[in-house]
PDB file of all heavy atoms in Angstrom:
ATOM      1  N   ILE A   1      -4.003   2.115   7.808  1.00 88.00           N
ATOM      2  CA  ILE A   1      -3.093   2.912   8.642  1.00 88.00           C
ATOM      3  C   ILE A   1      -2.625   4.145   7.870  1.00 88.00           C
ATOM      4  O   ILE A   1      -2.653   5.269   8.392  1.00 88.00           O
ATOM      5  CB  ILE A   1      -1.869   2.081   9.105  1.00 88.00           C
ATOM      6  CG1 ILE A   1      -2.277   1.039  10.148  1.00 88.00           C
ATOM      7  CG2 ILE A   1      -0.765   2.979   9.694  1.00 88.00           C
ATOM      8  CD1 ILE A   1      -1.208  -0.024  10.436  1.00 88.00           C
ATOM      9  N   LEU A   2      -2.218   3.949   6.612  1.00 86.00           N
ATOM     10  CA  LEU A   2      -1.740   5.064   5.783  1.00 86.00           C
ATOM     11  C   LEU A   2      -2.857   6.070   5.509  1.00 86.00           C
ATOM     12  O   LEU A   2      -2.628   7.279   5.481  1.00 86.00           O
ATOM     13  CB  LEU A   2      -1.157   4.540   4.466  1.00 86.00           C
ATOM     14  CG  LEU A   2       0.172   3.778   4.574  1.00 86.00           C
ATOM     15  CD1 LEU A   2       0.528   3.134   3.256  1.00 86.00           C
ATOM     16  CD2 LEU A   2       1.299   4.704   5.027  1.00 86.00           C
ATOM     17  N   ALA A   3      -4.079   5.550   5.313  1.00 87.00           N
ATOM     18  CA  ALA A   3      -5.232   6.441   5.096  1.00 87.00           C
ATOM     19  C   ALA A   3      -5.495   7.275   6.345  1.00 87.00           C
ATOM     20  O   ALA A   3      -5.800   8.477   6.263  1.00 87.00           O
ATOM     21  CB  ALA A   3      -6.466   5.611   4.738  1.00 87.00           C
ATOM     22  N   LEU A   4      -5.354   6.636   7.498  1.00 82.00           N
ATOM     23  CA  LEU A   4      -5.545   7.328   8.784  1.00 82.00           C
ATOM     24  C   LEU A   4      -4.509   8.436   8.977  1.00 82.00           C
ATOM     25  O   LEU A   4      -4.795   9.487   9.551  1.00 82.00           O
ATOM     26  CB  LEU A   4      -5.455   6.309   9.926  1.00 82.00           C
ATOM     27  CG  LEU A   4      -5.935   6.734  11.311  1.00 82.00           C
ATOM     28  CD1 LEU A   4      -7.440   6.927  11.327  1.00 82.00           C
ATOM     29  CD2 LEU A   4      -5.544   5.690  12.355  1.00 82.00           C
ATOM     30  N   LEU A   5      -3.284   8.191   8.468  1.00 76.00           N
ATOM     31  CA  LEU A   5      -2.192   9.171   8.577  1.00 76.00           C
ATOM     32  C   LEU A   5      -2.215  10.204   7.437  1.00 76.00           C
ATOM     33  O   LEU A   5      -1.297  11.017   7.320  1.00 76.00           O
ATOM     34  CB  LEU A   5      -0.839   8.451   8.577  1.00 76.00           C
ATOM     35  CG  LEU A   5      -0.524   7.571   9.794  1.00 76.00           C
ATOM     36  CD1 LEU A   5       0.712   6.726   9.544  1.00 76.00           C
ATOM     37  CD2 LEU A   5      -0.330   8.409  11.050  1.00 76.00           C
ATOM     38  N   SER A   6      -3.280  10.142   6.611  1.00 79.00           N
ATOM     39  CA  SER A   6      -3.455  11.069   5.469  1.00 79.00           C
ATOM     40  C   SER A   6      -2.290  10.990   4.485  1.00 79.00           C
ATOM     41  O   SER A   6      -1.844  12.022   3.949  1.00 79.00           O
ATOM     42  CB  SER A   6      -3.627  12.514   5.964  1.00 79.00           C
ATOM     43  OG  SER A   6      -4.661  12.607   6.900  1.00 79.00           O
ATOM     44  N   ALA A   7      -1.802   9.794   4.229  1.00 82.00           N
ATOM     45  CA  ALA A   7      -0.700   9.616   3.275  1.00 82.00           C
ATOM     46  C   ALA A   7      -1.213   9.783   1.846  1.00 82.00           C
ATOM     47  O   ALA A   7      -2.295   9.290   1.519  1.00 82.00           O
ATOM     48  CB  ALA A   7      -0.088   8.229   3.441  1.00 82.00           C
ATOM     49  N   PRO A   8      -0.461  10.474   0.990  1.00 85.00           N
ATOM     50  CA  PRO A   8      -0.883  10.622  -0.419  1.00 85.00           C
ATOM     51  C   PRO A   8      -0.768   9.297  -1.168  1.00 85.00           C
ATOM     52  O   PRO A   8      -0.005   8.408  -0.771  1.00 85.00           O
ATOM     53  CB  PRO A   8       0.108  11.647  -0.981  1.00 85.00           C
ATOM     54  CG  PRO A   8       1.303  11.564  -0.096  1.00 85.00           C
ATOM     55  CD  PRO A   8       0.802  11.175   1.266  1.00 85.00           C
ATOM     56  N   ASP A   9      -1.519   9.152  -2.255  1.00 89.00           N
ATOM     57  CA  ASP A   9      -1.535   7.902  -3.031  1.00 89.00           C
ATOM     58  C   ASP A   9      -0.146   7.507  -3.534  1.00 89.00           C
ATOM     59  O   ASP A   9       0.153   6.316  -3.664  1.00 89.00           O
ATOM     60  CB  ASP A   9      -2.484   8.051  -4.238  1.00 89.00           C
ATOM     61  CG  ASP A   9      -3.945   8.147  -3.800  1.00 89.00           C
ATOM     62  OD1 ASP A   9      -4.227   7.757  -2.652  1.00 89.00           O
ATOM     63  OD2 ASP A   9      -4.775   8.618  -4.601  1.00 89.00           O
ATOM     64  N   SER A  10       0.694   8.503  -3.812  1.00 89.00           N
ATOM     65  CA  SER A  10       2.031   8.232  -4.366  1.00 89.00           C
ATOM     66  C   SER A  10       2.926   7.454  -3.396  1.00 89.00           C
ATOM     67  O   SER A  10       3.881   6.795  -3.814  1.00 89.00           O
ATOM     68  CB  SER A  10       2.719   9.551  -4.745  1.00 89.00           C
ATOM     69  OG  SER A  10       2.779  10.422  -3.623  1.00 89.00           O
ATOM     70  N   VAL A  11       2.609   7.513  -2.088  1.00 87.00           N
ATOM     71  CA  VAL A  11       3.431   6.840  -1.065  1.00 87.00           C
ATOM     72  C   VAL A  11       3.075   5.352  -0.948  1.00 87.00           C
ATOM     73  O   VAL A  11       3.917   4.535  -0.581  1.00 87.00           O
ATOM     74  CB  VAL A  11       3.286   7.560   0.309  1.00 87.00           C
ATOM     75  CG1 VAL A  11       3.907   6.749   1.432  1.00 87.00           C
ATOM     76  CG2 VAL A  11       3.923   8.938   0.255  1.00 87.00           C
ATOM     77  N   PHE A  12       1.845   4.978  -1.287  1.00 93.00           N
ATOM     78  CA  PHE A  12       1.362   3.598  -1.092  1.00 93.00           C
ATOM     79  C   PHE A  12       2.256   2.545  -1.777  1.00 93.00           C
ATOM     80  O   PHE A  12       2.625   1.553  -1.126  1.00 93.00           O
ATOM     81  CB  PHE A  12      -0.093   3.462  -1.574  1.00 93.00           C
ATOM     82  CG  PHE A  12      -1.107   3.962  -0.572  1.00 93.00           C
ATOM     83  CD1 PHE A  12      -1.175   5.300  -0.228  1.00 93.00           C
ATOM     84  CD2 PHE A  12      -2.000   3.083   0.034  1.00 93.00           C
ATOM     85  CE1 PHE A  12      -2.104   5.770   0.686  1.00 93.00           C
ATOM     86  CE2 PHE A  12      -2.934   3.533   0.964  1.00 93.00           C
ATOM     87  CZ  PHE A  12      -2.989   4.890   1.295  1.00 93.00           C
ATOM     88  N   PRO A  13       2.627   2.709  -3.056  1.00 94.00           N
ATOM     89  CA  PRO A  13       3.495   1.699  -3.680  1.00 94.00           C
ATOM     90  C   PRO A  13       4.869   1.585  -3.017  1.00 94.00           C
ATOM     91  O   PRO A  13       5.420   0.482  -2.919  1.00 94.00           O
ATOM     92  CB  PRO A  13       3.652   2.203  -5.128  1.00 94.00           C
ATOM     93  CG  PRO A  13       2.558   3.182  -5.341  1.00 94.00           C
ATOM     94  CD  PRO A  13       2.255   3.772  -4.016  1.00 94.00           C
ATOM     95  N   VAL A  14       5.405   2.723  -2.565  1.00 92.00           N
ATOM     96  CA  VAL A  14       6.714   2.717  -1.883  1.00 92.00           C
ATOM     97  C   VAL A  14       6.609   1.929  -0.582  1.00 92.00           C
ATOM     98  O   VAL A  14       7.468   1.104  -0.262  1.00 92.00           O
ATOM     99  CB  VAL A  14       7.212   4.159  -1.606  1.00 92.00           C
ATOM    100  CG1 VAL A  14       8.591   4.139  -0.955  1.00 92.00           C
ATOM    101  CG2 VAL A  14       7.257   4.976  -2.889  1.00 92.00           C
ATOM    102  N   ILE A  15       5.526   2.173   0.164  1.00 93.00           N
ATOM    103  CA  ILE A  15       5.292   1.471   1.440  1.00 93.00           C
ATOM    104  C   ILE A  15       5.094  -0.025   1.200  1.00 93.00           C
ATOM    105  O   ILE A  15       5.622  -0.864   1.937  1.00 93.00           O
ATOM    106  CB  ILE A  15       4.061   2.069   2.176  1.00 93.00           C
ATOM    107  CG1 ILE A  15       4.354   3.495   2.672  1.00 93.00           C
ATOM    108  CG2 ILE A  15       3.606   1.163   3.324  1.00 93.00           C
ATOM    109  CD1 ILE A  15       5.303   3.614   3.831  1.00 93.00           C
ATOM    110  N   ASP A  16       4.314  -0.378   0.162  1.00 96.00           N
ATOM    111  CA  ASP A  16       4.081  -1.803  -0.164  1.00 96.00           C
ATOM    112  C   ASP A  16       5.392  -2.540  -0.410  1.00 96.00           C
ATOM    113  O   ASP A  16       5.532  -3.717  -0.066  1.00 96.00           O
ATOM    114  CB  ASP A  16       3.190  -1.920  -1.410  1.00 96.00           C
ATOM    115  CG  ASP A  16       1.725  -1.607  -1.106  1.00 96.00           C
ATOM    116  OD1 ASP A  16       1.374  -1.542   0.089  1.00 96.00           O
ATOM    117  OD2 ASP A  16       0.945  -1.422  -2.056  1.00 96.00           O
ATOM    118  N   SER A  17       6.347  -1.838  -1.007  1.00 96.00           N
ATOM    119  CA  SER A  17       7.650  -2.442  -1.290  1.00 96.00           C
ATOM    120  C   SER A  17       8.572  -2.422  -0.070  1.00 96.00           C
ATOM    121  O   SER A  17       9.323  -3.377   0.168  1.00 96.00           O
ATOM    122  CB  SER A  17       8.307  -1.680  -2.449  1.00 96.00           C
ATOM    123  OG  SER A  17       9.624  -2.103  -2.644  1.00 96.00           O
ATOM    124  N   TYR A  18       8.478  -1.330   0.725  1.00 95.00           N
ATOM    125  CA  TYR A  18       9.425  -1.092   1.836  1.00 95.00           C
ATOM    126  C   TYR A  18       9.067  -1.838   3.112  1.00 95.00           C
ATOM    127  O   TYR A  18       9.950  -2.385   3.775  1.00 95.00           O
ATOM    128  CB  TYR A  18       9.499   0.418   2.090  1.00 95.00           C
ATOM    129  CG  TYR A  18      10.273   0.835   3.315  1.00 95.00           C
ATOM    130  CD1 TYR A  18      11.596   0.436   3.526  1.00 95.00           C
ATOM    131  CD2 TYR A  18       9.687   1.670   4.285  1.00 95.00           C
ATOM    132  CE1 TYR A  18      12.307   0.841   4.648  1.00 95.00           C
ATOM    133  CE2 TYR A  18      10.392   2.089   5.409  1.00 95.00           C
ATOM    134  CZ  TYR A  18      11.690   1.670   5.594  1.00 95.00           C
ATOM    135  OH  TYR A  18      12.397   2.076   6.701  1.00 95.00           O
ATOM    136  N   TRP A  19       7.771  -1.890   3.455  1.00 96.00           N
ATOM    137  CA  TRP A  19       7.385  -2.406   4.770  1.00 96.00           C
ATOM    138  C   TRP A  19       7.728  -3.879   5.037  1.00 96.00           C
ATOM    139  O   TRP A  19       8.051  -4.212   6.183  1.00 96.00           O
ATOM    140  CB  TRP A  19       5.909  -2.105   5.052  1.00 96.00           C
ATOM    141  CG  TRP A  19       5.731  -0.731   5.672  1.00 96.00           C
ATOM    142  CD1 TRP A  19       6.646   0.290   5.644  1.00 96.00           C
ATOM    143  CD2 TRP A  19       4.605  -0.238   6.397  1.00 96.00           C
ATOM    144  NE1 TRP A  19       6.148   1.398   6.301  1.00 96.00           N
ATOM    145  CE2 TRP A  19       4.902   1.100   6.767  1.00 96.00           C
ATOM    146  CE3 TRP A  19       3.380  -0.765   6.761  1.00 96.00           C
ATOM    147  CZ2 TRP A  19       4.015   1.892   7.491  1.00 96.00           C
ATOM    148  CZ3 TRP A  19       2.480   0.017   7.477  1.00 96.00           C
ATOM    149  CH2 TRP A  19       2.786   1.326   7.850  1.00 96.00           C
ATOM    150  N   PRO A  20       7.688  -4.791   4.053  1.00 97.00           N
ATOM    151  CA  PRO A  20       8.120  -6.166   4.377  1.00 97.00           C
ATOM    152  C   PRO A  20       9.558  -6.211   4.902  1.00 97.00           C
ATOM    153  O   PRO A  20       9.854  -6.919   5.872  1.00 97.00           O
ATOM    154  CB  PRO A  20       8.008  -6.900   3.032  1.00 97.00           C
ATOM    155  CG  PRO A  20       7.006  -6.128   2.262  1.00 97.00           C
ATOM    156  CD  PRO A  20       7.186  -4.695   2.667  1.00 97.00           C
ATOM    157  N   HIS A  21      10.445  -5.421   4.274  1.00 97.00           N
ATOM    158  CA  HIS A  21      11.848  -5.373   4.701  1.00 97.00           C
ATOM    159  C   HIS A  21      11.986  -4.659   6.048  1.00 97.00           C
ATOM    160  O   HIS A  21      12.740  -5.091   6.920  1.00 97.00           O
ATOM    161  CB  HIS A  21      12.699  -4.666   3.645  1.00 97.00           C
ATOM    162  CG  HIS A  21      12.618  -5.295   2.302  1.00 97.00           C
ATOM    163  ND1 HIS A  21      13.195  -6.516   2.016  1.00 97.00           N
ATOM    164  CD2 HIS A  21      12.008  -4.896   1.154  1.00 97.00           C
ATOM    165  CE1 HIS A  21      12.956  -6.834   0.756  1.00 97.00           C
ATOM    166  NE2 HIS A  21      12.230  -5.869   0.211  1.00 97.00           N
ATOM    167  N   TRP A  22      11.225  -3.560   6.210  1.00 96.00           N
ATOM    168  CA  TRP A  22      11.288  -2.808   7.469  1.00 96.00           C
ATOM    169  C   TRP A  22      10.738  -3.633   8.637  1.00 96.00           C
ATOM    170  O   TRP A  22      11.323  -3.662   9.722  1.00 96.00           O
ATOM    171  CB  TRP A  22      10.505  -1.491   7.344  1.00 96.00           C
ATOM    172  CG  TRP A  22      10.245  -0.900   8.692  1.00 96.00           C
ATOM    173  CD1 TRP A  22      11.174  -0.410   9.572  1.00 96.00           C
ATOM    174  CD2 TRP A  22       8.980  -0.816   9.365  1.00 96.00           C
ATOM    175  NE1 TRP A  22      10.552  -0.016  10.751  1.00 96.00           N
ATOM    176  CE2 TRP A  22       9.208  -0.254  10.640  1.00 96.00           C
ATOM    177  CE3 TRP A  22       7.677  -1.141   9.005  1.00 96.00           C
ATOM    178  CZ2 TRP A  22       8.181  -0.016  11.550  1.00 96.00           C
ATOM    179  CZ3 TRP A  22       6.648  -0.918   9.911  1.00 96.00           C
ATOM    180  CH2 TRP A  22       6.912  -0.367  11.160  1.00 96.00           C
ATOM    181  N   LEU A  23       9.606  -4.334   8.415  1.00 97.00           N
ATOM    182  CA  LEU A  23       8.995  -5.138   9.484  1.00 97.00           C
ATOM    183  C   LEU A  23       9.920  -6.277   9.914  1.00 97.00           C
ATOM    184  O   LEU A  23      10.006  -6.589  11.111  1.00 97.00           O
ATOM    185  CB  LEU A  23       7.641  -5.693   9.025  1.00 97.00           C
ATOM    186  CG  LEU A  23       6.514  -4.659   8.927  1.00 97.00           C
ATOM    187  CD1 LEU A  23       5.321  -5.215   8.177  1.00 97.00           C
ATOM    188  CD2 LEU A  23       6.088  -4.182  10.317  1.00 97.00           C
ATOM    189  N   LEU A  24      10.620  -6.880   8.951  1.00 97.00           N
ATOM    190  CA  LEU A  24      11.598  -7.923   9.300  1.00 97.00           C
ATOM    191  C   LEU A  24      12.729  -7.333  10.140  1.00 97.00           C
ATOM    192  O   LEU A  24      13.135  -7.934  11.154  1.00 97.00           O
ATOM    193  CB  LEU A  24      12.162  -8.574   8.030  1.00 97.00           C
ATOM    194  CG  LEU A  24      13.208  -9.681   8.242  1.00 97.00           C
ATOM    195  CD1 LEU A  24      12.626 -10.850   9.029  1.00 97.00           C
ATOM    196  CD2 LEU A  24      13.767 -10.167   6.898  1.00 97.00           C
ATOM    197  N   SER A  25      13.215  -6.159   9.756  1.00 96.00           N
ATOM    198  CA  SER A  25      14.296  -5.514  10.521  1.00 96.00           C
ATOM    199  C   SER A  25      13.813  -5.133  11.929  1.00 96.00           C
ATOM    200  O   SER A  25      14.560  -5.222  12.896  1.00 96.00           O
ATOM    201  CB  SER A  25      14.821  -4.272   9.783  1.00 96.00           C
ATOM    202  OG  SER A  25      13.900  -3.207   9.844  1.00 96.00           O
ATOM    203  N   ALA A  26      12.531  -4.731  12.027  1.00 95.00           N
ATOM    204  CA  ALA A  26      11.949  -4.374  13.336  1.00 95.00           C
ATOM    205  C   ALA A  26      11.878  -5.594  14.240  1.00 95.00           C
ATOM    206  O   ALA A  26      12.160  -5.507  15.451  1.00 95.00           O
ATOM    207  CB  ALA A  26      10.552  -3.775  13.146  1.00 95.00           C
ATOM    208  N   TRP A  27      11.527  -6.763  13.653  1.00 97.00           N
ATOM    209  CA  TRP A  27      11.438  -7.992  14.450  1.00 97.00           C
ATOM    210  C   TRP A  27      12.818  -8.442  14.930  1.00 97.00           C
ATOM    211  O   TRP A  27      12.990  -8.788  16.105  1.00 97.00           O
ATOM    212  CB  TRP A  27      10.780  -9.106  13.635  1.00 97.00           C
ATOM    213  CG  TRP A  27      10.680 -10.384  14.428  1.00 97.00           C
ATOM    214  CD1 TRP A  27       9.806 -10.658  15.452  1.00 97.00           C
ATOM    215  CD2 TRP A  27      11.507 -11.548  14.289  1.00 97.00           C
ATOM    216  NE1 TRP A  27      10.036 -11.926  15.955  1.00 97.00           N
ATOM    217  CE2 TRP A  27      11.074 -12.485  15.260  1.00 97.00           C
ATOM    218  CE3 TRP A  27      12.555 -11.880  13.444  1.00 97.00           C
ATOM    219  CZ2 TRP A  27      11.655 -13.744  15.397  1.00 97.00           C
ATOM    220  CZ3 TRP A  27      13.140 -13.135  13.572  1.00 97.00           C
ATOM    221  CH2 TRP A  27      12.689 -14.047  14.539  1.00 97.00           C
TER     222      TRP A  27
END
């Protein structure tokens, strides 16, 4: 998904850490 959105490599570690918490909040 991030590759499709042309996200830079520097964002990947932040997303890996952030998305579990964000996805729980979304649910």
Side-chain angles (χ1 to χ4, degrees):
I1 289 167
L2 290 171
L4 194 68
L5 293 169
S6 306
D9 291 342
S10 56
V11 169
F12 279 66
V14 182
I15 291 288
D16 285 347
S17 172
Y18 172 55
W19 273 18
H21 303 289
W22 165 66
L23 288 167
L24 180 61
S25 73
W27 180 74

